[in-house]
Amino acid sequence: MDPSKEKDLVTGNESPVSSSEYDSELTGTTAPPKLKRQLKNRHIAMISIGGVIGTGLFLGTANSLVNGGPIGLLLGYIVVGTICYSVMISLGEMIAYLPLPGGHIKMAERFVDPALSFVMGWNYWYNWTIILPAELSAAAVLINYWNKTINDAAWISICLVIVVVINMFGAGVYGEAEFIFASIKVITITGLIILGIVLDLGGGPNHDRIGFRYWKNPGPFVQYHGIGGSKGQFLGWWAVMTQAAFSFIGTEIVAIAAGEAKNPRRNLPKAIRRVYVRILLFYIGGVIIIGLLVPSNNPGLNLKVSNAAKSPFVIAISAAGIKGLPSVINAALLTSAWSAASSDLYTSSRALYGLALAGNAPSVFLRTSKNGLPYTSLAFCASFSTLAFMGINGGSGKVFNWFSNMTSIAGLMTWFGIAVTYIRFYKGFKVQGFDRSTLPYASSLQPYAAWYAAAACLIICFFSGWEVFLKDSWDPATFVTTYLPFILFPILYIGAKLWTKVPVVKPEDMDFLSGLEEIEADSYDEPPPKNKLEAFWQWLM
């Protein structure tokens, strides 16, 4: 490869995203303004990690531990972890082959029909628009650990300004900020797991060897709502599933970032391949430590009481008698909320841009600045963050629970759509005689993993709000926030189907070639490492 050309691809001189004739035909216009490929390999690697680790693990696990107990918590995260992995290997195969702006939303249009693309696009936008105020509410809850006298509105406003400013500088600055934030999160969760093992074995200042004490008393499972026997324990485990989904939702953010990723054919498969390591190490490892160190009946786990809400990790460190460290950890968790909120705004704005690109949203959202920032989409999505102020009177912890419910179901329906799109992709690829072994990324678990993910997502969504039907447990807010996204998905699909009147794409008619030339032009071989340190960095990122 010509060195000068390689320099243009690797340096900050952005090369435009591939805009195939296929995209122009869909919108019925000349080629719209484009995003720019500004995200480097280390940005993609850390964004894929940052999309996984967030307030769902650091704060939301409080509810899960109360509902399911340590074993119920662990089993819930393991089950949702397998679903997440199945979705990611399905998405990875498609997006590594065709890293187009709009990610899986665009894939649905190519391999299923425009109606599914319409529903997935708006569902995904809704998901990430709603999760933004959830993260801002979580930030206010975490700050309450230090100061309960100042109104939450002040903390929400400060966090919101930080998030908007980061995104206004474009994908390059967002990538750098996310790299820093995600690095803090990785170091924090790794340190917490190591510290948790030490504390559990009696290495804390109080030298209290906890072991599996809390698995015996109050017990491995919780009798949900006082329901006795295995029935109550099963319901406690099932109650964990929706919250666990909230924690895992976001791993697919790498697909939306595909349109702004440099060297996508190399960087995206690498990020996808390591998802399972992050799931096992950070999530499964994290919930095991939480279950060992904090009893499920600890009053500090109650997110509905604003003056009691704390991260399970902070509760464990405080109980061990380590002075000063709880505040340090809480500060690190606060950066996690900022990072997650920044990713939320980035993703929702790019999802809206993708919708407009496909003609499913007003063309005003296609407007971009000279450096490729979709500023109209960004401003519109940022305006919904003001929903976080609902928690000023009712408590940010309660608002966090509402929005996490809505986000979990919307996210699971996104996963369902990705799985269905992949099943169609797999069928079309096979019918047209392409060899999957030539793909940049392919998994031997397919298509079974995609079928498993599609079925599991539907089952969890359908039964997610069962608790409101228990005796004396009816709660309109919980019912609406849980089932609204689930019911809207088929309604919007049927409506879009009747409006577009476009049949499902036949396997033999699927388009696997449009845009490939531009994508291959954006791909290049990484320069060989000069020393062992560079070799390690290249392997890591």
Side-chain angles (χ1 to χ4, degrees):
M1 180 180 284
D2 183 2
S4 63
K5 290 182 180 178
E6 182 175 318
K7 183 177 181 182
D8 288 338
L9 286 164
V10 180
T11 61
N13 301 326
E14 304 102 6
S15 56
V17 168
S18 55
S19 69
S20 62
E21 295 176 1
Y22 178 81
D23 292 332
S24 298
E25 289 170 6
L26 285 175
T27 56
T29 62
T30 55
K34 305 172 188 69
L35 304 178
K36 307 288 184 180
R37 293 198 185 275
Q38 303 177 61
L39 298 176
K40 302 174 185 176
N41 57 345
R42 61 187 176 88
H43 295 155
I44 293 296
M46 278 301 178
I47 286 170
S48 64
I49 294 175
V52 176
I53 307 172
T55 52
L57 175 62
F58 292 134
L59 187 62
T61 42
N63 276 338
S64 293
L65 184 57
V66 170
N67 290 333
I71 298 295
L73 171 67
L74 176 59
L75 291 177
Y77 270 76
I78 288 175
V79 170
V80 178
T82 61
I83 299 170
C84 176
Y85 182 69
S86 299
V87 169
M88 288 307 295
I89 60 176
S90 302
L91 179 62
E93 192 165 315
M94 294 187 291
I95 209 66
Y97 177 67
L98 284 171
L100 299 172
H104 51 274
I105 301 168
K106 207 70 174 168
M107 298 295 172
E109 189 168 27
R110 282 200 179 195
F111 305 121
V112 186
D113 63 5
L116 184 64
S117 175
F118 174 86
V119 180
M120 285 185 64
W122 282 109
N123 181 74
Y124 202 63
W125 171 83
Y126 163 87
N127 179 26
W128 289 98
T129 302
I130 290 298
I131 201 174
L132 175 55
E135 299 291 358
L136 295 174
S137 298
V141 171
L142 291 169
I143 294 174
N144 283 335
Y145 175 75
W146 295 298
N147 191 312
K148 303 180 184 69
T149 58
I150 298 177
N151 196 293
D152 283 350
W155 309 127
I156 291 171
S157 300
I158 293 170
C159 294
L160 178 57
V161 169
I162 294 171
V163 167
V164 171
V165 168
I166 289 172
N167 275 270
M168 285 300 292
F169 281 105
V173 173
Y174 160 75
E176 290 295 343
E178 192 60 23
F179 179 79
I180 295 169
F181 282 143
S183 298
I184 294 171
K185 286 193 279 189
V186 170
I187 294 169
T188 301
I189 187 62
T190 305
L192 286 171
I193 290 172
I194 295 171
L195 177 62
I197 295 171
V198 172
L199 294 178
D200 188 64
L201 297 176
N206 57 8
H207 301 295
D208 181 16
R209 187 183 178 93
I210 300 171
F212 290 88
R213 179 190 306 164
Y214 300 131
W215 288 32
K216 298 175 183 177
N217 182 25
F221 290 95
V222 170
Q223 302 300 142
Y224 194 79
H225 272 244
I227 300 171
S230 57
K231 185 183 194 179
Q233 295 173 355
F234 173 81
L235 294 177
W237 163 70
W238 193 267
V240 173
M241 303 284 269
T242 306
Q243 190 281 319
F246 174 75
S247 298
F248 282 103
I249 296 300
T251 48
E252 73 284 346
I253 189 176
V254 70
I256 290 294
E260 295 175 273
K262 290 183 178 181
N263 201 8
R265 282 288 180 87
R266 180 263 183 194
N267 294 331
L268 295 174
K270 197 168 185 179
I272 297 292
R273 284 190 187 100
R274 295 183 179 176
V275 164
Y276 77 94
V277 177
R278 290 156 195 156
I279 292 172
L280 287 175
L281 177 61
F282 299 136
Y283 270 101
I284 306 304
V287 297
I288 288 174
I289 294 301
I290 288 170
L292 288 174
L293 297 181
V294 184
S296 57
N297 57 2
N298 189 301
L301 296 171
N302 186 1
L303 289 182
K304 294 179 181 178
V305 181
S306 60
N307 61 1
K310 303 183 190 76
S311 165
F313 290 106
V314 175
I315 292 172
I317 295 168
S318 299
I322 305 177
K323 296 181 179 179
L325 187 58
S327 289
V328 174
I329 297 300
N330 207 61
L333 303 190
L334 184 58
T335 65
S336 164
W338 283 339
S339 167
S342 181
S343 292
D344 300 340
L345 184 54
Y346 170 84
T347 309
S348 61
S349 61
R350 270 50 177 192
L352 188 57
Y353 175 88
L355 279 165
L357 196 65
N360 292 329
S363 59
V364 67
F365 296 120
L366 285 173
R367 294 180 182 175
T368 59
S369 63
K370 291 181 180 179
N371 66 344
L373 176 72
Y375 58 90
T376 52
S377 295
L378 187 68
F380 182 72
C381 295
S383 65
F384 285 87
S385 60
T386 54
L387 291 171
F389 292 104
M390 290 169 59
I392 294 173
N393 295 323
S396 291
K398 188 181 292 184
V399 172
F400 174 78
N401 286 337
W402 288 342
F403 286 135
S404 64
N405 279 344
M406 297 171 78
T407 299
S408 297
I409 304 306
L412 285 168
M413 293 310 295
T414 292
W415 285 3
F416 168 76
I418 290 171
V420 169
T421 302
Y422 176 79
I423 291 167
R424 298 285 301 159
F425 172 90
Y426 182 91
K427 177 72 173 176
F429 213 73
K430 188 176 180 180
V431 167
Q432 294 190 26
F434 292 109
D435 183 6
R436 285 181 67 239
S437 64
T438 62
L439 290 170
Y441 174 80
S443 171
S444 58
L445 297 176
Q446 297 293 8
Y448 311 106
W451 280 105
Y452 163 69
C457 288
L458 280 182
I459 292 170
I460 293 174
C461 286
F462 186 78
F463 291 105
S464 58
W466 57 267
E467 62 183 285
V468 299
F469 298 107
L470 294 176
K471 187 177 180 181
D472 299 325
S473 298
W474 175 253
D475 181 11
T478 301
F479 178 80
V480 171
T481 56
T482 300
Y483 282 114
L484 180 64
F486 185 52
I487 295 170
L488 281 178
F489 198 91
I491 291 174
L492 287 175
Y493 179 77
I494 293 170
K497 195 73 176 173
L498 293 173
W499 178 264
T500 60
K501 298 179 181 178
V502 177
V504 174
V505 182
K506 296 179 181 178
E508 57 270 21
D509 295 333
M510 291 179 185
D511 181 7
F512 289 97
L513 301 177
S514 293
L516 273 182
E517 290 183 7
E518 294 91 336
I519 291 163
E520 287 170 355
D522 282 331
S523 301
Y524 54 90
D525 294 327
E526 296 284 340
K530 298 176 183 177
N531 49 54
K532 289 184 178 180
L533 182 61
E534 284 192 7
F536 172 74
W537 182 256
Q538 199 172 85
W539 169 83
L540 185 65
M541 294 296 165

